Every structure is written in structure tokens, then in C-alpha cells.
Amino acid sequence: MSSAAIIGTGSCLPERVLTNHDLEKMVDTSDEWIRTRTGIRERRLADPGTAASDLAVPAATRALAAAGIPATELDLIIVATVTPDTLFPATACLVQERLGARGAAAFDLSAGCSGFVYALGVAGQFLATGVYRTALVIGVEVLSKIINWQDRNTCVLFGDGAGAAVLQSVPAGRGILGLHLGADGSGGSLLTLPAGGSRLPASSTTVQEQLHTIHMSGAEVFKFAVRVMGEASLKALEKAGLKKEDVDFLIPHQANIRIIEAATKRLGLPPKKVYVNLDRYGNMSSASIPVALDEAYRAGLLLRDHKVVMVAFGAGLTWGAAVVNWELDPPKGA
Ligand code: UT7
């Protein structure tokens, strides 16, 4: 068996900023409540005409440029998202066409906010077994399109964005060292978009009842997240044959600063080893980790041979953690 390493990253954020003060004018909330309960100050919102693939393609193009790989070399494209352009065809196929990666296998993956870690794991398996050599993994969300802007419990939390990573097969012992994915479907109703699928097809009633927007039991998801973020990280470290003392950098899913702090504490890490951009972007679901990874890499925070842990939780309920040996030197000028 071989392994798979990240050889380039990229991201794309919409330009439009929505601050907590903007939200104060839309729902009964306050900047103080949002900052202290979540750590979020502002988030990015896509324009009405922008779909997931419009953010995914620039993120992917930047990742390919960073990797020095033409799109024609891609064997596989996985797009992790809960906000695809359409239910079908897969957004991955739209991305494949626009990148000019004709022939590459392409599919979407739905694992909520754990989507990027799941996709990394799936792509990693294809590369480790020698089926494919080069893969593109994207996490992208346009959550602003599925938010109920009258619901203060959810509308303050989320943002739009895309992050991408190019993976290539490497000898065993490098790249992805440990992976732990899991799910508990009994918690499915705690975080869901009820309508638009085969259970509740779109109708005027589903639209009137806001059933095409995010429904979440925040406090329940919070408790679950605090538990699984630490547990999943420790399991992935165990599979990698590493201890928490070996971790050089943590890239957690960016949902709530209190959840990140709990995971940080469980791993015994100092805050400087944990990447946080939640204050600027809010929760971008499956895009959170790849955007954070790209920013940390470009800021020169990730050094060659660093042991980097990525960990997430999300709708499903799902969780996932990956431990990677970072195989890149910081970019010039970082
Ligand atoms: O990536 C996976 C996606 N999901 C998540 O990450 C969610 C995880 N959960 C959380 O981050 C937190 O549970 C929230 C930030 C959603 C909520 O924080 P909380 O400390 O669990 O608050 P709560 O839900 O227990 O609500 C406390 C109070 C309630 O008022 P009452 O009933 O105590 O009078 C809410 O109605 O805060 C109220 N509240 C708000 N107040 C002002 C809820 N949202 C807001 C708001 N502004 N935006």
C-alpha cells in the first residue's frame, strides 16, 4: 500500500461581508451575543447568481497552480458539499468540465461539515491502493442560499466559501498517516434540510414552511461536537501511531470557538498551534477546514514534516479526523 499527500491547496471566498452589526438589523440579536456565544464577527456571502461550482473552480485552480499540476493530470475529483449547484448532475462533474479535467472520475460527497475530511479519506484510499495517482478534493458551500434569514438560531452562524487540495500518491509512511471517520444516524434530525429530496419533494407548502432551510437543535449538536472532536482526533492519532504530544498543528472545523477550545484542551495544545478563522468567515461547513488549511499553509504556519490534525463534526451526525505528515515547505515570502 502507498499513501496520499497534499501537494497544493487553494481557496476562494466571496467578497461580500456580512457583519454581526448587519445582522442586528435583520433579527433580534446582538454583536455581543454572537461574539461571546460563537466567536464569529463576520462572514462572507455569495451573490445571488453564484453557485457552489463558481466558488469551487477558482479554489481548485489555485490548488492546482500551487501543486504545479495541470487539470488534465487529475484522475479523480470529489466535491464535499451540502449545497451543490443542483441535486444532479454532481457539482464535481461541473467542476471537472470547467477545469478541463475530461475523463477524471467525479462525484459529490455528503457528510455535512465533516465532508472535507471524509473526501480526503476516500480520495486517499484510491491513491493508496494505486487505482489513481492524482486527486482533487474540494469542500464548498453556499449556505447563504439555504438559511432562514428570519431564524436567529441559525442565520448568525454560517458563511460561504470554498477550499481545495490536490493529492498525489506517495510512499507509505508519508502524507495521510491516520484517519478516523464515523457517524451516528440516530442524530440525523438534529441538523437537517427537511425538504427538496424524495421524502418531502418541493411544493408550495414546503416553501411556505421554510423546509428548504437549515433546521438545527444547536445545543444538542454542541454537546455532540465537544465530545467527538477530541475523541476522533485521538483515534486518528492512535491509528497513525502518534500521541497528542506529537501534534504540531490542529485545523479544526470552524463552528464555534467554544467547541474549538474544548478540542484544543482535550489535545493539550497551546492556542498558537490551532488555526482559527471563524471570526472572519463563520461556519462554512465542508469548506471550513480546506480554507483554514490553505490560509495556514500560505501564512507559513505549516512546515515540512509537521504532524497536522484536521478534525470535524457535522450533519448525519458525522465526525472525521485525519492526521497528515505535511509534505510541503512554506511558500516563498510566507
Ligand atoms: O457545523 C455544524 C453546525 N452546527 C453547529 O456548529 C452548532 C453547534 N451549536 C452551537 O454552536 C451553539 O449551540 C449555538 C451557538 C447554536 C447556540 O449557543 P448556546 O449557548 O447553545 O445557546 P442556546 O441555543 O442554548 O440558546 C441560549 C439563548 C436562548 O434564549 P432563552 O431560551 O435562553 O431565552 C436562545 O433563544 O440564546 C438565544 N439565542 C439568541 N440570542 C441572541 C439563540 N440565538 C440567538 C441569537 N441572538 N442569534
Side-chain angles (χ1 to χ4, degrees), residues 28-30 33-34 37-38 113 152-153 156-158 191 216 218-219 221-222 253 255-256 258-259 283 313-315:
D28 180 16
T29 191
S30 66
W33 191 96
I34 302 170
R37 294 292 182 118
T38 71
C113 305
R152 70 175 184 173
N153 292 298
V156 303
L157 302 175
F158 300 103
L191 180 47
M216 181 174 73
V221 177
F222 185 94
H253 173 45
N256 187 314
R258 293 181 288 144
I259 296 171
N283 179 349
F313 66 94

Side-chain angles (χ1 to χ4, degrees), residues 1-6 120 123-130 132-134 167-178 323-325 327:
M1 285 276 274
S2 304
S3 182
I6 293 173
L120 195 71
Q125 297 307 300
F126 277 107
L127 303 189
T129 51
Y132 295 130
R133 182 160 184 272
T134 310
L167 271 74
Q168 209 156 51
S169 48
V170 290
R174 290 174 50 193
I176 299 173
L177 303 176
V323 183
V324 304
N325 192 66
E327 302 288 343

Side-chain angles (χ1 to χ4, degrees), residues 43 46 71 104 107 143-144 183 186 189 233 270 287 299 324 328:
R43 67 286 292 143
F107 63 90
L143 295 168
S144 59
S186 71
S189 62
S233 303
V324 304
L328 301 170

